[in-house]
Amino acid sequence: MNVQLKTTLYKSPVGELILGDFNNQLCLCDWRYRKMRQEVDTRILKGLNAEFIEQPTALLAETQKQLAAYFNKKLTVFDLPLLFVGTDFQQSVWKALQQIEYGKTMTYLGLSKQLNNPKAIRAVASANGANAISIIVPCHRIIGSNQELVGYAGGLSSKKRLLELEQGNQLELF
C-alpha cells in the first residue's frame, strides 16, 4: 500500500487550490483547474510513492490560515515546511523563486542569470510552469522580458490579481 498524501481544497479569492500534506510537509498548493493538473499530480504521486486521500491536517489548516492572511494583506512571507518533488534543476528554480521579494517581479532571463545559467531561459520557464506550490513559491512574480504578463498555471487574470495585491493596487478580492 502506498503512503498517503493528504489533501484539501481551498477557495482563494483568485481561484480554487488543492493543498497537499505529505508527512507534515506541504508538497502541493496548486490550481485545481490547470492544463497540467494530471502531469503535476502524477509527478508528485510517483515521486513520493503515495496516493491522494482527502483529509484535513494541522499543516493544511495552517496553510489555509497563512493564505487567508496573504490575501488580506497581513502576510508577505510564508512560513511553512515545504517538500519539492521534481528534478534537481526544477528544485533549484523553485528555491530561487522563493528569493523574489513580495511585491517585486523578475523576468525569466533574470531568473536564469540568478541561477548562473542565462541560456536556460526555456528550461527555467518550464520548471516555473511545473511549480506545484503556487503563491507560496511565487512563480506569479515571473514576467516576460518585455514586462508583459506571460503564462501562468492559474491563468493570467489570477496572475494579474496576485501581482496587484502585492504591489498595493486596489482590487476587489471578495
Side-chain angles (χ1 to χ4, degrees):
M1 162 140 176
N2 287 343
V3 180
Q4 294 178 336
L5 192 164
K6 297 169 180 130
T7 65
T8 194
L9 295 177
Y10 175 74
K11 291 185 179 177
S12 88
V14 295
E16 196 166 14
L17 299 164
I18 300 172
L19 308 179
D21 173 347
F22 184 79
N23 291 338
N24 298 312
Q25 296 174 94
L26 189 72
C27 63
L28 191 61
C29 176
D30 202 12
W31 304 97
R32 183 173 185 191
Y33 304 104
R34 69 172 286 182
K35 289 179 184 167
M36 292 177 55
R37 175 80 276 132
Q38 188 170 354
E39 292 91 332
V40 170
D41 291 348
T42 298
R43 181 185 78 229
I44 290 172
L45 292 177
K46 281 186 177 178
L48 298 175
N49 190 28
E51 63 188 12
F52 285 132
I53 179 170
E54 198 165 327
Q55 180 180 325
T57 69
L59 175 63
L60 296 177
E62 177 61 24
T63 302
Q64 291 176 334
K65 180 179 163 192
Q66 288 191 29
L67 284 166
Y70 167 83
F71 284 110
N72 285 311
K73 297 186 178 191
K74 298 194 179 341
L75 181 81
T76 60
V77 177
F78 291 91
D79 183 21
L80 298 162
L82 303 180
L83 175 63
F84 296 119
V85 181
T87 66
D88 289 345
F89 179 78
Q90 287 173 324
Q91 291 186 41
S92 72
V93 171
W94 301 331
K95 287 176 183 162
L97 288 170
Q98 292 181 281
Q99 306 308 310
I100 304 170
E101 292 179 26
Y102 180 92
K104 306 285 185 200
T105 57
M106 182 180 280
T107 64
Y108 289 107
L109 177 60
L111 189 56
S112 299
K113 286 179 178 176
Q114 184 177 318
L115 292 164
N116 296 317
N117 201 344
K119 294 185 188 221
I121 296 171
R122 288 178 194 245
V124 165
S126 178
N128 196 54
N131 174 26
I133 308 177
S134 288
I135 302 172
I136 295 165
V137 176
C139 51
H140 62 277
R141 295 180 187 154
I142 299 298
I143 59 174
S145 292
N146 59 1
Q147 306 303 305
E148 296 275 325
L149 298 187
V150 291
Y152 186 59
L156 290 182
S157 66
S158 293
K159 181 174 189 161
K160 181 176 190 271
R161 292 176 76 192
L162 290 169
L163 292 173
E164 287 173 344
L165 171 78
E166 292 184 8
Q167 292 168 357
N169 298 338
Q170 293 300 313
L171 73 160
E172 296 297 317
L173 284 178
F174 300 99

